[in-house]
mmCIF file of all heavy atoms in Angstrom:
data_model
loop_
_atom_site.group_PDB
_atom_site.id
_atom_site.type_symbol
_atom_site.label_atom_id
_atom_site.label_comp_id
_atom_site.label_asym_id
_atom_site.label_seq_id
_atom_site.Cartn_x
_atom_site.Cartn_y
_atom_site.Cartn_z
ATOM 1 N N TYR N 444 90.711 114.783 101.307
ATOM 2 C CA TYR N 444 91.390 115.886 101.999
ATOM 3 C C TYR N 444 90.475 116.560 102.914
ATOM 4 O O TYR N 444 89.285 116.920 102.497
ATOM 5 C CB TYR N 444 92.071 116.847 101.034
ATOM 6 C CG TYR N 444 92.924 117.856 101.821
ATOM 7 C CD1 TYR N 444 94.079 117.498 102.503
ATOM 8 C CD2 TYR N 444 92.355 119.049 102.103
ATOM 9 C CE1 TYR N 444 94.795 118.318 103.226
ATOM 10 C CE2 TYR N 444 92.976 119.941 102.867
ATOM 11 C CZ TYR N 444 94.239 119.614 103.372
ATOM 12 O OH TYR N 444 94.904 120.494 104.255
ATOM 13 N N ASP N 446 89.863 119.775 105.768
ATOM 14 C CA ASP N 446 90.390 121.017 106.339
ATOM 15 C C ASP N 446 90.371 120.841 107.831
ATOM 16 O O ASP N 446 89.553 120.088 108.312
ATOM 17 C CB ASP N 446 89.555 122.203 105.828
ATOM 18 C CG ASP N 446 89.838 122.412 104.415
ATOM 19 O OD1 ASP N 446 90.879 122.787 103.969
ATOM 20 O OD2 ASP N 446 88.785 122.268 103.579
ATOM 21 N N GLU N 459 96.813 118.694 107.386
ATOM 22 C CA GLU N 459 97.907 119.518 106.837
ATOM 23 C C GLU N 459 99.209 119.281 107.635
ATOM 24 O O GLU N 459 100.307 119.165 107.040
ATOM 25 C CB GLU N 459 97.443 120.991 107.001
ATOM 26 C CG GLU N 459 98.595 122.024 106.526
ATOM 27 C CD GLU N 459 98.036 123.412 106.119
ATOM 28 O OE1 GLU N 459 96.901 123.443 105.532
ATOM 29 O OE2 GLU N 459 98.729 124.353 106.372
ATOM 30 N N GLY N 475 96.166 117.549 97.907
ATOM 31 C CA GLY N 475 94.991 117.230 98.846
ATOM 32 C C GLY N 475 93.752 117.337 98.073
ATOM 33 O O GLY N 475 93.427 118.437 97.742
ATOM 34 N N ARG N 477 89.919 117.179 97.773
ATOM 35 C CA ARG N 477 88.661 117.099 98.480
ATOM 36 C C ARG N 477 87.536 116.138 97.898
ATOM 37 O O ARG N 477 87.625 115.862 96.714
ATOM 38 C CB ARG N 477 88.159 118.488 98.706
ATOM 39 C CG ARG N 477 89.041 119.365 99.550
ATOM 40 C CD ARG N 477 88.430 120.787 99.884
ATOM 41 N NE ARG N 477 89.374 121.527 100.715
ATOM 42 C CZ ARG N 477 90.324 122.318 100.344
ATOM 43 N NH1 ARG N 477 90.517 122.561 99.010
ATOM 44 N NH2 ARG N 477 91.079 122.948 101.124
ATOM 45 N N LEU N 495 85.438 121.760 93.225
ATOM 46 C CA LEU N 495 86.126 122.219 94.420
ATOM 47 C C LEU N 495 87.602 122.631 94.230
ATOM 48 O O LEU N 495 88.182 122.024 93.306
ATOM 49 C CB LEU N 495 86.106 121.129 95.487
ATOM 50 C CG LEU N 495 84.706 120.777 96.026
ATOM 51 C CD1 LEU N 495 84.838 119.514 96.876
ATOM 52 C CD2 LEU N 495 83.978 121.870 96.676
ATOM 53 N N ASN N 496 88.137 123.505 95.010
ATOM 54 C CA ASN N 496 89.595 123.705 95.031
ATOM 55 C C ASN N 496 90.352 122.518 95.609
ATOM 56 O O ASN N 496 89.779 121.745 96.280
ATOM 57 C CB ASN N 496 89.991 124.890 95.837
ATOM 58 C CG ASN N 496 89.519 126.224 95.310
ATOM 59 O OD1 ASN N 496 89.091 126.278 94.139
ATOM 60 N ND2 ASN N 496 89.521 127.337 96.142
ATOM 61 N N ALA N 497 91.646 122.349 95.230
ATOM 62 C CA ALA N 497 92.413 121.395 95.783
ATOM 63 C C ALA N 497 93.580 122.093 96.517
ATOM 64 O O ALA N 497 93.878 123.278 96.282
ATOM 65 C CB ALA N 497 93.011 120.374 94.840
ATOM 66 N N ARG N 498 94.279 121.432 97.416
ATOM 67 C CA ARG N 498 95.409 121.948 98.209
ATOM 68 C C ARG N 498 96.657 121.344 97.758
ATOM 69 O O ARG N 498 96.786 120.229 97.801
ATOM 70 C CB ARG N 498 95.086 121.889 99.755
ATOM 71 C CG ARG N 498 95.999 122.766 100.543
ATOM 72 C CD ARG N 498 95.350 123.065 101.898
ATOM 73 N NE ARG N 498 96.114 123.950 102.743
ATOM 74 C CZ ARG N 498 96.024 125.311 102.736
ATOM 75 N NH1 ARG N 498 95.252 125.886 101.880
ATOM 76 N NH2 ARG N 498 96.779 126.013 103.583
ATOM 77 N N ILE N 499 97.674 122.317 97.495
ATOM 78 C CA ILE N 499 98.963 121.810 97.021
ATOM 79 C C ILE N 499 100.070 121.916 98.035
ATOM 80 O O ILE N 499 100.108 123.021 98.685
ATOM 81 C CB ILE N 499 99.270 122.634 95.779
ATOM 82 C CG1 ILE N 499 98.257 122.493 94.639
ATOM 83 C CG2 ILE N 499 100.707 122.287 95.234
ATOM 84 C CD1 ILE N 499 98.079 121.135 94.052
ATOM 85 N N PRO N 506 101.705 125.713 101.911
ATOM 86 C CA PRO N 506 100.616 125.110 101.023
ATOM 87 C C PRO N 506 99.735 126.159 100.519
ATOM 88 O O PRO N 506 99.613 127.223 101.102
ATOM 89 C CB PRO N 506 99.892 124.101 102.043
ATOM 90 C CG PRO N 506 100.332 124.566 103.386
ATOM 91 C CD PRO N 506 101.582 125.196 103.292
ATOM 92 N N TYR N 507 99.079 125.843 99.375
ATOM 93 C CA TYR N 507 98.198 126.852 98.768
ATOM 94 C C TYR N 507 97.045 126.116 97.992
ATOM 95 O O TYR N 507 97.202 124.952 97.754
ATOM 96 C CB TYR N 507 99.000 127.816 97.966
ATOM 97 C CG TYR N 507 99.649 127.222 96.731
ATOM 98 C CD1 TYR N 507 99.116 127.244 95.483
ATOM 99 C CD2 TYR N 507 100.931 126.712 96.875
ATOM 100 C CE1 TYR N 507 99.708 126.710 94.427
ATOM 101 C CE2 TYR N 507 101.541 126.132 95.814
ATOM 102 C CZ TYR N 507 100.984 126.142 94.502
ATOM 103 O OH TYR N 507 101.655 125.532 93.502
ATOM 104 N N GLU N 508 95.957 126.841 97.673
ATOM 105 C CA GLU N 508 94.902 126.405 96.969
ATOM 106 C C GLU N 508 94.939 126.526 95.477
ATOM 107 O O GLU N 508 95.572 127.629 94.996
ATOM 108 C CB GLU N 508 93.582 127.093 97.527
ATOM 109 C CG GLU N 508 93.325 126.907 98.945
ATOM 110 C CD GLU N 508 92.726 125.576 99.249
ATOM 111 O OE1 GLU N 508 91.840 125.124 98.537
ATOM 112 O OE2 GLU N 508 93.153 124.948 100.211
ATOM 113 N N ILE N 509 94.442 125.643 94.745
ATOM 114 C CA ILE N 509 94.282 125.794 93.282
ATOM 115 C C ILE N 509 92.730 125.572 92.873
ATOM 116 O O ILE N 509 92.135 124.841 93.580
ATOM 117 C CB ILE N 509 95.132 124.959 92.443
ATOM 118 C CG1 ILE N 509 94.935 123.437 92.849
ATOM 119 C CG2 ILE N 509 96.608 125.194 92.647
ATOM 120 C CD1 ILE N 509 95.447 122.372 91.863
ATOM 121 N N LYS N 510 92.393 126.190 91.799
ATOM 122 C CA LYS N 510 91.029 126.037 91.376
ATOM 123 C C LYS N 510 90.695 124.835 90.400
ATOM 124 O O LYS N 510 91.640 124.318 89.878
ATOM 125 C CB LYS N 510 90.619 127.403 90.570
ATOM 126 C CG LYS N 510 90.648 128.642 91.560
ATOM 127 C CD LYS N 510 89.869 129.774 90.752
ATOM 128 C CE LYS N 510 90.107 131.039 91.621
ATOM 129 N NZ LYS N 510 89.591 130.957 93.037
ATOM 130 N N THR N 513 92.524 123.531 86.861
ATOM 131 C CA THR N 513 93.825 123.864 86.810
ATOM 132 C C THR N 513 94.716 122.733 86.196
ATOM 133 O O THR N 513 94.501 121.568 86.428
ATOM 134 C CB THR N 513 94.441 124.156 88.168
ATOM 135 O OG1 THR N 513 93.801 125.187 88.790
ATOM 136 C CG2 THR N 513 95.928 124.461 88.234
#
Side-chain angles (χ1 to χ4, degrees):
Chain N
Y444 184 76
D446 295 293
E459 180 157 324
R477 294 186 175 89
L495 302 169
N496 289 349
R498 196 156 179 85
I499 300 296
Y507 62 97
E508 297 284 314
I509 55 164
K510 290 194 189 308
T513 299

